[in-house]
Amino acid sequence: MKPAILVARAIFPQTLARLAEHFELETNQDDLIFTPQELVAKLHGKQGLLCTGSARIDAQLLAQTPRLKMVANMAVGYDNIDLAACTQFQVMASNTPDVLNQTTADFAWALLMATARRITEAEHYLRAGKWDKWSYDAFLGADLHGATLGILGMGRIGQAIARRSMGFDMQVLYHNRSRLSPEQESYANNAQYVSKQELLSRADHLILILPYSAATHHAIGAAELAMLRPSATLVNVARGGIVDDAALIAALRQNKIAAAGLDVFEGEPNLNPDFLTLKNVVLTPHIASASAATRRAMANCAADNLIAGLTHQRPPHLLNPEASS
Ligand code: GLV
Ligand code: GLV
């Protein structure tokens, strides 16, 4: 008999077809968001789960799902999964790294450019029928070329973002838990490692791309925002919670920084409504990895992990090898 799995969110039909070769599937193509209790009920008798960041996998859930052996997250970030609890319950967990690096780096640039050059604000003006003449000082933004790009979090996506700055003749500064190798720094447009404080005070444009954890909660709060230049652009393509959104709204309102481009929010999809009252923000609904090719690759990657894990092979992106022994 094939093992039973739950695919907790809607996904490409091709991915479901592939999973069906190996598993009995319970699917959710209506894409309902399950409460924790509903998720436990749906997981009854299931050995595997394919989920996204909307599913919280913690000890409370795992204590009620004794047959569960593997959780495959369709995301590179896995802050929705308590890895220690998974290991304690001998449940393997996996993510989808690498396949989204270049697409996410592209999007960080799209968001930075839209924010620094005020593209969405200008488009709203045009669509509202307010454009009646060209003016020398309409929508003046900040240049990217020749500017100093700061990157907080210099993993594989951060390095891909940095590399793209070569064409803009930018100087790259970064801060990270650990310093990159000289080879990695050279790949990343000769990025220079600096303290967080120096990064904040010197960046013309600051991109956040670090994982979310208790240690990075509100890594950018009121004190950090105060260190940024009044002309600075802030871009968050990492996770909600890395920025203190209330502090950011206050800084944007008082023009303590110029503008912010945000793809992620505290409490998303319910963002702080004050963001909607600000002109100096570009807001997108967590779509940095959303190219057609990359979302397919992420779905395939999550499926590959689940198929391996439940057929006695090592999942290619196993996060807690201790759980598979
Ligand atoms: C993916 O990261 C999600 O939030 O569902
Ligand atoms: C998306 O946010 C991801 O972590 O893949």
Side-chain angles (χ1 to χ4, degrees), residues 160-184:
I161 292 170
R163 186 165 177 81
R164 283 162 173 68
S165 71
M166 285 179 179
F168 290 84
D169 294 322
M170 294 175 99
Q171 182 186 12
V172 181
L173 307 177
Y174 75 97
H175 184 73
N176 194 47
R177 268 178 309 182
S178 53
R179 196 177 161 169
L180 301 183
S181 68
E183 293 73 28
Q184 289 169 317

PDB file of all heavy atoms in Angstrom, residues 160-184:
ATOM      1  N   ALA A 160      23.720  36.568  -4.634  1.00  0.00           N
ATOM      2  CA  ALA A 160      23.170  36.746  -5.992  1.00  0.00           C
ATOM      3  C   ALA A 160      22.684  38.190  -6.183  1.00  0.00           C
ATOM      4  O   ALA A 160      22.799  38.752  -7.271  1.00  0.00           O
ATOM      5  CB  ALA A 160      22.032  35.757  -6.239  1.00  0.00           C
ATOM      6  N   ILE A 161      22.138  38.780  -5.124  1.00  0.00           N
ATOM      7  CA  ILE A 161      21.726  40.194  -5.189  1.00  0.00           C
ATOM      8  C   ILE A 161      22.962  41.076  -5.403  1.00  0.00           C
ATOM      9  O   ILE A 161      22.982  41.970  -6.252  1.00  0.00           O
ATOM     10  CB  ILE A 161      20.978  40.603  -3.899  1.00  0.00           C
ATOM     11  CG1 ILE A 161      19.631  39.885  -3.809  1.00  0.00           C
ATOM     12  CG2 ILE A 161      20.784  42.130  -3.838  1.00  0.00           C
ATOM     13  CD1 ILE A 161      18.937  40.036  -2.451  1.00  0.00           C
ATOM     14  N   ALA A 162      24.001  40.803  -4.617  1.00  0.00           N
ATOM     15  CA  ALA A 162      25.229  41.614  -4.697  1.00  0.00           C
ATOM     16  C   ALA A 162      25.834  41.539  -6.091  1.00  0.00           C
ATOM     17  O   ALA A 162      26.271  42.550  -6.654  1.00  0.00           O
ATOM     18  CB  ALA A 162      26.236  41.138  -3.655  1.00  0.00           C
ATOM     19  N   ARG A 163      25.857  40.339  -6.658  1.00  0.00           N
ATOM     20  CA  ARG A 163      26.479  40.155  -7.973  1.00  0.00           C
ATOM     21  C   ARG A 163      25.817  41.040  -9.027  1.00  0.00           C
ATOM     22  O   ARG A 163      26.485  41.573  -9.918  1.00  0.00           O
ATOM     23  CB  ARG A 163      26.396  38.686  -8.379  1.00  0.00           C
ATOM     24  CG  ARG A 163      27.131  38.383  -9.654  1.00  0.00           C
ATOM     25  CD  ARG A 163      27.332  36.902  -9.835  1.00  0.00           C
ATOM     26  NE  ARG A 163      27.967  36.616 -11.099  1.00  0.00           N
ATOM     27  CZ  ARG A 163      29.273  36.698 -11.330  1.00  0.00           C
ATOM     28  NH1 ARG A 163      30.075  37.060 -10.350  1.00  0.00           N
ATOM     29  NH2 ARG A 163      29.774  36.434 -12.511  1.00  0.00           N
ATOM     30  N   ARG A 164      24.491  41.174  -8.925  1.00  0.00           N
ATOM     31  CA  ARG A 164      23.756  41.986  -9.899  1.00  0.00           C
ATOM     32  C   ARG A 164      24.130  43.466  -9.831  1.00  0.00           C
ATOM     33  O   ARG A 164      23.814  44.224 -10.755  1.00  0.00           O
ATOM     34  CB  ARG A 164      22.253  41.825  -9.657  1.00  0.00           C
ATOM     35  CG  ARG A 164      21.712  40.514 -10.191  1.00  0.00           C
ATOM     36  CD  ARG A 164      20.376  40.175  -9.598  1.00  0.00           C
ATOM     37  NE  ARG A 164      19.793  39.002 -10.248  1.00  0.00           N
ATOM     38  CZ  ARG A 164      20.266  37.762 -10.167  1.00  0.00           C
ATOM     39  NH1 ARG A 164      21.361  37.509  -9.466  1.00  0.00           N
ATOM     40  NH2 ARG A 164      19.670  36.764 -10.785  1.00  0.00           N
ATOM     41  N   SER A 165      24.757  43.908  -8.771  1.00  0.00           N
ATOM     42  CA  SER A 165      25.072  45.337  -8.627  1.00  0.00           C
ATOM     43  C   SER A 165      26.262  45.752  -9.476  1.00  0.00           C
ATOM     44  O   SER A 165      26.553  46.944  -9.609  1.00  0.00           O
ATOM     45  CB  SER A 165      25.343  45.664  -7.159  1.00  0.00           C
ATOM     46  OG  SER A 165      26.583  45.113  -6.755  1.00  0.00           O
ATOM     47  N   MET A 166      26.958  44.762 -10.079  1.00  0.00           N
ATOM     48  CA  MET A 166      28.133  45.102 -10.897  1.00  0.00           C
ATOM     49  C   MET A 166      27.756  46.042 -12.030  1.00  0.00           C
ATOM     50  O   MET A 166      28.475  46.994 -12.312  1.00  0.00           O
ATOM     51  CB  MET A 166      28.727  43.827 -11.515  1.00  0.00           C
ATOM     52  CG  MET A 166      29.489  42.973 -10.544  1.00  0.00           C
ATOM     53  SD  MET A 166      30.092  41.513 -11.428  1.00  0.00           S
ATOM     54  CE  MET A 166      30.959  40.699 -10.105  1.00  0.00           C
ATOM     55  N   GLY A 167      26.629  45.767 -12.660  1.00  0.00           N
ATOM     56  CA  GLY A 167      26.195  46.584 -13.801  1.00  0.00           C
ATOM     57  C   GLY A 167      25.823  48.003 -13.412  1.00  0.00           C
ATOM     58  O   GLY A 167      25.674  48.864 -14.279  1.00  0.00           O
ATOM     59  N   PHE A 168      25.646  48.237 -12.134  1.00  0.00           N
ATOM     60  CA  PHE A 168      25.282  49.581 -11.655  1.00  0.00           C
ATOM     61  C   PHE A 168      26.474  50.289 -11.002  1.00  0.00           C
ATOM     62  O   PHE A 168      26.301  51.327 -10.389  1.00  0.00           O
ATOM     63  CB  PHE A 168      24.119  49.497 -10.662  1.00  0.00           C
ATOM     64  CG  PHE A 168      22.818  49.120 -11.293  1.00  0.00           C
ATOM     65  CD1 PHE A 168      22.487  47.799 -11.529  1.00  0.00           C
ATOM     66  CD2 PHE A 168      21.917  50.102 -11.677  1.00  0.00           C
ATOM     67  CE1 PHE A 168      21.282  47.449 -12.115  1.00  0.00           C
ATOM     68  CE2 PHE A 168      20.704  49.769 -12.267  1.00  0.00           C
ATOM     69  CZ  PHE A 168      20.389  48.433 -12.492  1.00  0.00           C
ATOM     70  N   ASP A 169      27.642  49.696 -11.133  1.00  0.00           N
ATOM     71  CA  ASP A 169      28.856  50.301 -10.560  1.00  0.00           C
ATOM     72  C   ASP A 169      28.663  50.675  -9.097  1.00  0.00           C
ATOM     73  O   ASP A 169      28.990  51.789  -8.680  1.00  0.00           O
ATOM     74  CB  ASP A 169      29.262  51.555 -11.354  1.00  0.00           C
ATOM     75  CG  ASP A 169      29.686  51.196 -12.762  1.00  0.00           C
ATOM     76  OD1 ASP A 169      30.332  50.143 -12.921  1.00  0.00           O
ATOM     77  OD2 ASP A 169      29.356  51.953 -13.693  1.00  0.00           O
ATOM     78  N   MET A 170      28.112  49.754  -8.339  1.00  0.00           N
ATOM     79  CA  MET A 170      27.858  50.051  -6.930  1.00  0.00           C
ATOM     80  C   MET A 170      28.967  49.482  -6.052  1.00  0.00           C
ATOM     81  O   MET A 170      29.621  48.500  -6.409  1.00  0.00           O
ATOM     82  CB  MET A 170      26.516  49.436  -6.502  1.00  0.00           C
ATOM     83  CG  MET A 170      25.336  50.073  -7.210  1.00  0.00           C
ATOM     84  SD  MET A 170      23.807  49.234  -6.808  1.00  0.00           S
ATOM     85  CE  MET A 170      23.141  50.318  -5.555  1.00  0.00           C
ATOM     86  N   GLN A 171      29.114  50.098  -4.902  1.00  0.00           N
ATOM     87  CA  GLN A 171      29.964  49.524  -3.870  1.00  0.00           C
ATOM     88  C   GLN A 171      29.057  48.695  -2.959  1.00  0.00           C
ATOM     89  O   GLN A 171      27.990  49.171  -2.556  1.00  0.00           O
ATOM     90  CB  GLN A 171      30.626  50.632  -3.067  1.00  0.00           C
ATOM     91  CG  GLN A 171      31.560  50.078  -2.021  1.00  0.00           C
ATOM     92  CD  GLN A 171      32.119  51.155  -1.099  1.00  0.00           C
ATOM     93  OE1 GLN A 171      31.660  52.299  -1.085  1.00  0.00           O
ATOM     94  NE2 GLN A 171      33.094  50.770  -0.305  1.00  0.00           N
ATOM     95  N   VAL A 172      29.477  47.471  -2.646  1.00  0.00           N
ATOM     96  CA  VAL A 172      28.633  46.598  -1.820  1.00  0.00           C
ATOM     97  C   VAL A 172      29.247  46.423  -0.440  1.00  0.00           C
ATOM     98  O   VAL A 172      30.405  46.019  -0.305  1.00  0.00           O
ATOM     99  CB  VAL A 172      28.438  45.212  -2.468  1.00  0.00           C
ATOM    100  CG1 VAL A 172      27.542  44.338  -1.587  1.00  0.00           C
ATOM    101  CG2 VAL A 172      27.844  45.343  -3.863  1.00  0.00           C
ATOM    102  N   LEU A 173      28.439  46.703   0.579  1.00  0.00           N
ATOM    103  CA  LEU A 173      28.800  46.414   1.969  1.00  0.00           C
ATOM    104  C   LEU A 173      27.849  45.344   2.462  1.00  0.00           C
ATOM    105  O   LEU A 173      26.688  45.313   2.061  1.00  0.00           O
ATOM    106  CB  LEU A 173      28.632  47.662   2.843  1.00  0.00           C
ATOM    107  CG  LEU A 173      29.333  48.936   2.386  1.00  0.00           C
ATOM    108  CD1 LEU A 173      28.989  50.083   3.355  1.00  0.00           C
ATOM    109  CD2 LEU A 173      30.840  48.722   2.317  1.00  0.00           C
ATOM    110  N   TYR A 174      28.326  44.463   3.338  1.00  0.00           N
ATOM    111  CA  TYR A 174      27.394  43.473   3.878  1.00  0.00           C
ATOM    112  C   TYR A 174      27.721  43.187   5.329  1.00  0.00           C
ATOM    113  O   TYR A 174      28.840  43.408   5.805  1.00  0.00           O
ATOM    114  CB  TYR A 174      27.408  42.175   3.064  1.00  0.00           C
ATOM    115  CG  TYR A 174      28.617  41.280   3.286  1.00  0.00           C
ATOM    116  CD1 TYR A 174      28.561  40.197   4.166  1.00  0.00           C
ATOM    117  CD2 TYR A 174      29.822  41.510   2.617  1.00  0.00           C
ATOM    118  CE1 TYR A 174      29.660  39.368   4.363  1.00  0.00           C
ATOM    119  CE2 TYR A 174      30.922  40.696   2.809  1.00  0.00           C
ATOM    120  CZ  TYR A 174      30.839  39.624   3.689  1.00  0.00           C
ATOM    121  OH  TYR A 174      31.926  38.807   3.884  1.00  0.00           O
ATOM    122  N   HIS A 175      26.684  42.696   6.010  1.00  0.00           N
ATOM    123  CA  HIS A 175      26.893  42.151   7.336  1.00  0.00           C
ATOM    124  C   HIS A 175      26.176  40.813   7.391  1.00  0.00           C
ATOM    125  O   HIS A 175      25.120  40.629   6.802  1.00  0.00           O
ATOM    126  CB  HIS A 175      26.356  43.088   8.426  1.00  0.00           C
ATOM    127  CG  HIS A 175      26.653  42.592   9.797  1.00  0.00           C
ATOM    128  ND1 HIS A 175      27.918  42.640  10.346  1.00  0.00           N
ATOM    129  CD2 HIS A 175      25.873  41.975  10.712  1.00  0.00           C
ATOM    130  CE1 HIS A 175      27.886  42.088  11.543  1.00  0.00           C
ATOM    131  NE2 HIS A 175      26.657  41.675  11.789  1.00  0.00           N
ATOM    132  N   ASN A 176      26.803  39.864   8.087  1.00  0.00           N
ATOM    133  CA  ASN A 176      26.283  38.502   8.131  1.00  0.00           C
ATOM    134  C   ASN A 176      26.808  37.870   9.412  1.00  0.00           C
ATOM    135  O   ASN A 176      27.755  38.369  10.010  1.00  0.00           O
ATOM    136  CB  ASN A 176      26.824  37.734   6.900  1.00  0.00           C
ATOM    137  CG  ASN A 176      26.102  36.426   6.662  1.00  0.00           C
ATOM    138  OD1 ASN A 176      24.883  36.383   6.689  1.00  0.00           O
ATOM    139  ND2 ASN A 176      26.850  35.367   6.443  1.00  0.00           N
ATOM    140  N   ARG A 177      26.173  36.774   9.832  1.00  0.00           N
ATOM    141  CA  ARG A 177      26.667  36.082  11.032  1.00  0.00           C
ATOM    142  C   ARG A 177      28.141  35.731  10.873  1.00  0.00           C
ATOM    143  O   ARG A 177      28.927  35.867  11.778  1.00  0.00           O
ATOM    144  CB  ARG A 177      25.874  34.793  11.261  1.00  0.00           C
ATOM    145  CG  ARG A 177      24.674  34.967  12.167  1.00  0.00           C
ATOM    146  CD  ARG A 177      23.946  33.674  12.302  1.00  0.00           C
ATOM    147  NE  ARG A 177      23.676  33.108  10.979  1.00  0.00           N
ATOM    148  CZ  ARG A 177      23.013  31.989  10.747  1.00  0.00           C
ATOM    149  NH1 ARG A 177      22.571  31.277  11.766  1.00  0.00           N
ATOM    150  NH2 ARG A 177      22.806  31.548   9.529  1.00  0.00           N
ATOM    151  N   SER A 178      28.487  35.245   9.672  1.00  0.00           N
ATOM    152  CA  SER A 178      29.902  34.943   9.454  1.00  0.00           C
ATOM    153  C   SER A 178      30.357  35.602   8.155  1.00  0.00           C
ATOM    154  O   SER A 178      29.552  35.857   7.263  1.00  0.00           O
ATOM    155  CB  SER A 178      30.109  33.431   9.371  1.00  0.00           C
ATOM    156  OG  SER A 178      29.245  32.896   8.403  1.00  0.00           O
ATOM    157  N   ARG A 179      31.646  35.847   8.093  1.00  0.00           N
ATOM    158  CA  ARG A 179      32.207  36.499   6.914  1.00  0.00           C
ATOM    159  C   ARG A 179      32.314  35.505   5.763  1.00  0.00           C
ATOM    160  O   ARG A 179      32.574  34.318   5.986  1.00  0.00           O
ATOM    161  CB  ARG A 179      33.606  37.031   7.281  1.00  0.00           C
ATOM    162  CG  ARG A 179      34.067  38.024   6.282  1.00  0.00           C
ATOM    163  CD  ARG A 179      35.384  38.644   6.610  1.00  0.00           C
ATOM    164  NE  ARG A 179      35.863  39.190   5.345  1.00  0.00           N
ATOM    165  CZ  ARG A 179      36.880  40.001   5.216  1.00  0.00           C
ATOM    166  NH1 ARG A 179      37.566  40.339   6.274  1.00  0.00           N
ATOM    167  NH2 ARG A 179      37.228  40.455   4.054  1.00  0.00           N
ATOM    168  N   LEU A 180      32.099  35.965   4.542  1.00  0.00           N
ATOM    169  CA  LEU A 180      32.230  35.100   3.373  1.00  0.00           C
ATOM    170  C   LEU A 180      33.695  34.793   3.113  1.00  0.00           C
ATOM    171  O   LEU A 180      34.585  35.508   3.580  1.00  0.00           O
ATOM    172  CB  LEU A 180      31.665  35.785   2.128  1.00  0.00           C
ATOM    173  CG  LEU A 180      30.203  36.218   2.111  1.00  0.00           C
ATOM    174  CD1 LEU A 180      29.866  36.808   0.742  1.00  0.00           C
ATOM    175  CD2 LEU A 180      29.281  35.056   2.432  1.00  0.00           C
ATOM    176  N   SER A 181      33.936  33.755   2.305  1.00  0.00           N
ATOM    177  CA  SER A 181      35.303  33.481   1.856  1.00  0.00           C
ATOM    178  C   SER A 181      35.684  34.556   0.836  1.00  0.00           C
ATOM    179  O   SER A 181      34.814  35.190   0.235  1.00  0.00           O
ATOM    180  CB  SER A 181      35.367  32.108   1.187  1.00  0.00           C
ATOM    181  OG  SER A 181      34.653  32.146  -0.032  1.00  0.00           O
ATOM    182  N   PRO A 182      36.996  34.735   0.608  1.00  0.00           N
ATOM    183  CA  PRO A 182      37.427  35.705  -0.415  1.00  0.00           C
ATOM    184  C   PRO A 182      36.812  35.400  -1.788  1.00  0.00           C
ATOM    185  O   PRO A 182      36.448  36.324  -2.524  1.00  0.00           O
ATOM    186  CB  PRO A 182      38.954  35.536  -0.441  1.00  0.00           C
ATOM    187  CG  PRO A 182      39.296  35.001   0.914  1.00  0.00           C
ATOM    188  CD  PRO A 182      38.125  34.163   1.346  1.00  0.00           C
ATOM    189  N   GLU A 183      36.641  34.124  -2.120  1.00  0.00           N
ATOM    190  CA  GLU A 183      36.043  33.767  -3.419  1.00  0.00           C
ATOM    191  C   GLU A 183      34.590  34.232  -3.481  1.00  0.00           C
ATOM    192  O   GLU A 183      34.131  34.760  -4.487  1.00  0.00           O
ATOM    193  CB  GLU A 183      36.085  32.247  -3.647  1.00  0.00           C
ATOM    194  CG  GLU A 183      37.478  31.659  -3.820  1.00  0.00           C
ATOM    195  CD  GLU A 183      38.283  31.606  -2.515  1.00  0.00           C
ATOM    196  OE1 GLU A 183      37.660  31.503  -1.429  1.00  0.00           O
ATOM    197  OE2 GLU A 183      39.519  31.684  -2.576  1.00  0.00           O
ATOM    198  N   GLN A 184      33.871  34.004  -2.370  1.00  0.00           N
ATOM    199  CA  GLN A 184      32.471  34.429  -2.348  1.00  0.00           C
ATOM    200  C   GLN A 184      32.356  35.951  -2.405  1.00  0.00           C
ATOM    201  O   GLN A 184      31.492  36.492  -3.092  1.00  0.00           O
ATOM    202  CB  GLN A 184      31.781  33.905  -1.077  1.00  0.00           C
ATOM    203  CG  GLN A 184      31.564  32.406  -1.089  1.00  0.00           C
ATOM    204  CD  GLN A 184      31.130  31.891   0.276  1.00  0.00           C
ATOM    205  OE1 GLN A 184      31.668  32.301   1.303  1.00  0.00           O
ATOM    206  NE2 GLN A 184      30.163  30.989   0.289  1.00  0.00           N
TER     207      GLN A 184
END
